[in-house]
Amino acid sequence: MDPKLYLVRLAQFHPSFRKPELEALALLAGVEVEFVQCSEYSPFCIVRLPSDAAAAALLTRSILSKAIYHLWAVAPTYSELHRLIQSQTSHLWPPYEKSSFKFTLDIYNDTRSAPEQTEIINSFSYLPFNGRIAMKNPDVEFVVSEDHDHGKGVSTTTPNMIYFGRVVQRGGREAVNKYSLKKRAYISTTSMDAELSLLTANLTLARPGKLFYDPTVGTGSLVIACAHYGAMIMGSDIDGRTVRGKAGRGVEWSLGQYGLGGKWVDGLIGDLTFSPLRGSEDVRTGVGPAQRGGWLDGIVCDPPYGVREGLKVLGSRDGSGKEVVWIDGRMAHLADEYIPPKRPYSFEALLSDILNFAVNMLVEDGRLGLWMPTANDEDIEMAVPEHEALAVVSICVQPFNKWSRRLLTYRRKREEEIVRDSRTEAPSRKAATGAKADELNNFRKRYFEAFKANGNDIADETPDSENLSTV
């Protein structure tokens, strides 16, 4: 057995996210990882790493990995597994001969009775481990993993493959429970769950010393996840009520709930077409990033899809300015309770604006994590938006009943990577024309048509409203 092989025991959630997360964490840890065996259909991933230290660095903050083991042997039967352990791993035994130890049996896609588990563990009695057995906090833990998945969900009592290894590092899944929306005091119907928020932060490389921004911050789920990993954060939203919250509870208050208040730079009221951030005017003027220079290390956003309610941006419908209104000697638009006028907005224009914004605001190699809808039906599939200054790093899919959404992760290219000819003009802004929501949002129109044709109730399929709640 190659001494540098390790087994990653993956969680059975979001399979298309698992390998991209490990690749992102390897980059964060500065670790070279080679994927020897990795499939979306299996929770067992074999990788090649230089050392235990590299394995621990890779997995310490992984959300979709339970643990990583130094792989001692792998075989289709126990007789072959024992033969390999006895003939090829004796040089690995001495450090653990007097250590307290524990054996764990991990059965995937099947079960074992208590007597069967005891029999399997006792079959390893030839190993010269003379230390005490410690079920809690052992010096070393060994795991026997049985894979009973024989393809296409077929399971039998005979394992398809058996792995034996030593535990090196547990994953970071405890953060999912810590940031669970069930425990958060300020949420809305569209607050992203903790697991997906933390995954977004991992894929966009959130870490100490970096500044992350969410232009559709809502109740702050994504920036809270980035702050958990040490990044400084800021956000904005078209609706100031979501940022401020109510009854004194808002995004900043939620951060304080987790002791992360010091990571919050500020919350702004605005959208991508009227943002107060330096350089953001480039989205409208087309001034290139070379003239401005980006200063955000990461952008994360889950923009509204405009399904339940048509998309809107700040501004009047006719594009004209409005006369200032004074109330009790104060300009009305400066009051906390002021709700600015809004106009209809195209979903296609939204995607183009987000990519243009990212190109101008991100530092080189900075990352954009963008959630956008897709669908299982071909006729309502949406193409992945592209920009010559952004490289697509990964496309991860979260399926629902009749549709799905994707987390698109982009890397801001370095200037020398960009083809200059394609950047002589501002990127085209794909905006639909019209005045109604369906006219401005092709996805919304086709979405409703598809579900209406099937006679389905979409109430539970379209989490697109911002009904705030405190618990």
Side-chain angles (χ1 to χ4, degrees):
M1 177 65 65
D2 186 335
K4 295 185 177 181
L5 288 185
Y6 292 80
L7 178 69
V8 181
R9 177 57 164 96
L10 300 166
Q12 278 299 88
F13 301 100
H14 310 297
S16 68
F17 289 72
R18 297 187 304 199
K19 185 178 179 182
E21 186 200 25
L22 290 174
E23 291 172 331
L25 295 179
L27 185 61
L28 273 176
V31 170
E32 289 189 11
V33 58
E34 177 187 345
F35 290 88
V36 178
Q37 172 189 305
C38 192
S39 168
E40 290 188 12
Y41 305 103
S42 173
F44 300 104
C45 173
I46 298 177
V47 297
R48 183 173 285 107
L49 293 164
S51 65
D52 280 5
L58 173 68
L59 222 73
T60 185
R61 58 182 267 184
S62 174
I63 297 301
L64 293 180
S65 302
K66 292 184 176 181
I68 188 167
Y69 317 135
H70 183 210
L71 190 58
W72 284 21
V74 54
T77 64
Y78 274 103
S79 59
E80 178 66 11
L81 185 76
H82 291 311
R83 187 191 69 79
L84 291 174
I85 293 174
Q86 290 175 304
S87 63
Q88 298 182 10
T89 69
S90 59
H91 63 288
L92 300 174
W93 302 350
Y96 313 109
E97 289 180 353
K98 297 182 180 181
S99 301
S100 62
F101 68 95
K102 171 184 177 180
F103 269 70
T104 300
L105 198 57
D106 175 22
I107 310 297
Y108 172 65
N109 211 29
D110 203 356
T111 58
R112 291 280 193 182
S113 66
E116 286 178 318
Q117 293 183 43
T118 301
E119 181 181 359
I120 290 172
I121 291 174
N122 287 338
S123 70
F124 291 86
S125 60
Y126 56 84
L127 290 169
F129 300 151
N130 301 313
R132 65 181 181 87
I133 296 174
M135 302 309 292
K136 292 184 178 180
N137 302 317
D139 294 331
V140 62
E141 179 180 356
F142 296 93
V143 177
V144 182
S145 299
E146 290 186 357
D147 183 0
H148 286 259
D149 190 348
H150 291 257
K152 297 183 179 179
V154 177
S155 174
T156 68
T157 55
T158 302
N160 177 50
M161 197 61 65
I162 309 167
Y163 306 89
F164 180 74
R166 172 180 55 82
V167 176
V168 175
Q169 177 69 45
R170 298 290 178 185
R173 287 190 58 77
E174 69 279 355
V176 177
N177 181 58
K178 177 180 179 179
Y179 293 97
S180 170
L181 295 181
K182 295 179 180 179
K183 301 178 181 181
R184 195 174 303 172
Y186 177 62
I187 60 174
S188 76
T189 55
T190 57
S191 295
M192 182 165 287
D193 72 70
E195 188 169 51
L196 291 173
S197 298
L198 291 161
L199 281 172
T200 304
N202 271 343
L203 288 169
T204 51
L205 311 181
R207 58 198 186 278
K210 302 300 179 180
L211 176 60
F212 273 61
Y213 173 68
D214 184 350
T216 56
V217 70
T219 55
S221 291
L222 290 175
V223 290
I224 288 173
C226 294
H228 167 70
Y229 292 121
M232 298 298 294
I233 55 171
M234 57 190 299
S236 64
D237 202 282
I238 191 173
D239 189 347
R241 294 170 297 179
T242 64
V243 180
R244 291 189 295 266
K246 60 182 181 180
R249 295 184 176 185
V251 176
E252 189 171 6
W253 191 93
S254 289
L255 287 160
Q257 179 183 347
Y258 302 110
L260 299 172
K263 300 295 183 182
W264 182 241
V265 176
D266 206 353
L268 311 172
I269 314 304
D271 58 46
L272 289 178
T273 63
F274 289 96
S275 173
L277 298 182
R278 176 180 63 80
S280 60
E281 65 270 25
D282 300 347
V283 171
R284 300 185 300 279
T285 65
V287 177
Q291 290 96 323
R292 291 289 183 181
W295 50 276
L296 293 174
D297 298 291
I299 298 172
V300 290
C301 60
D302 179 24
Y305 307 149
V307 175
R308 286 187 174 180
E309 182 180 357
L311 289 172
K312 295 180 180 179
V313 290
L314 296 176
S316 59
R317 284 181 175 268
D318 59 8
S320 63
K322 299 297 180 181
E323 187 175 331
V324 175
V325 176
W326 293 80
I327 299 177
D328 297 330
R330 183 183 181 190
M331 290 184 286
H333 64 275
L334 296 180
D336 288 341
E337 62 273 13
Y338 174 73
I339 300 176
K342 302 178 181 68
R343 59 181 175 82
Y345 190 38
S346 159
F347 184 69
E348 288 76 10
L350 169 65
L351 294 177
S352 293
D353 286 347
I354 290 175
L355 264 61
N356 289 339
F357 179 84
V359 168
N360 291 301
M361 300 300 292
L362 285 174
V363 299
E364 292 182 345
D365 291 325
R367 290 201 172 188
L368 163 67
L370 167 64
W371 284 90
M372 67 167 284
T374 180
N376 295 328
D377 301 325
E378 278 189 21
D379 61 335
I380 54 174
E381 182 75 18
M382 296 191 69
V384 173
E386 298 179 346
H387 193 293
E388 62 270 14
L390 294 171
V392 177
V393 176
S394 62
I395 301 175
C396 304
V397 181
Q398 180 194 18
F400 293 103
N401 184 25
K402 292 293 183 180
W403 68 291
S404 60
R405 63 177 176 176
R406 295 176 286 206
L407 172 59
L408 308 176
T409 305
Y410 299 86
R411 176 183 64 84
R412 170 64 166 84
K413 294 180 181 178
R414 296 172 179 268
E415 287 299 313
E416 60 270 20
E417 296 180 74
I418 304 171
V419 179
R420 293 290 174 180
D421 290 345
S422 64
R423 295 181 61 243
T424 55
E425 297 181 0
S428 60
R429 193 172 186 273
K430 300 177 182 179
T433 58
K436 297 181 179 180
D438 282 353
E439 296 171 339
L440 289 165
N441 190 339
N442 195 38
F443 172 77
R444 182 182 194 270
K445 179 181 179 181
R446 290 152 72 185
Y447 181 94
F448 275 114
E449 287 175 349
F451 277 90
K452 188 175 181 180
N454 292 328
N456 291 309
D457 181 5
I458 65 166
D460 296 327
E461 291 281 343
T462 55
D464 205 36
S465 61
E466 265 295 355
N467 299 319
L468 304 181
S469 65
T470 57
V471 293

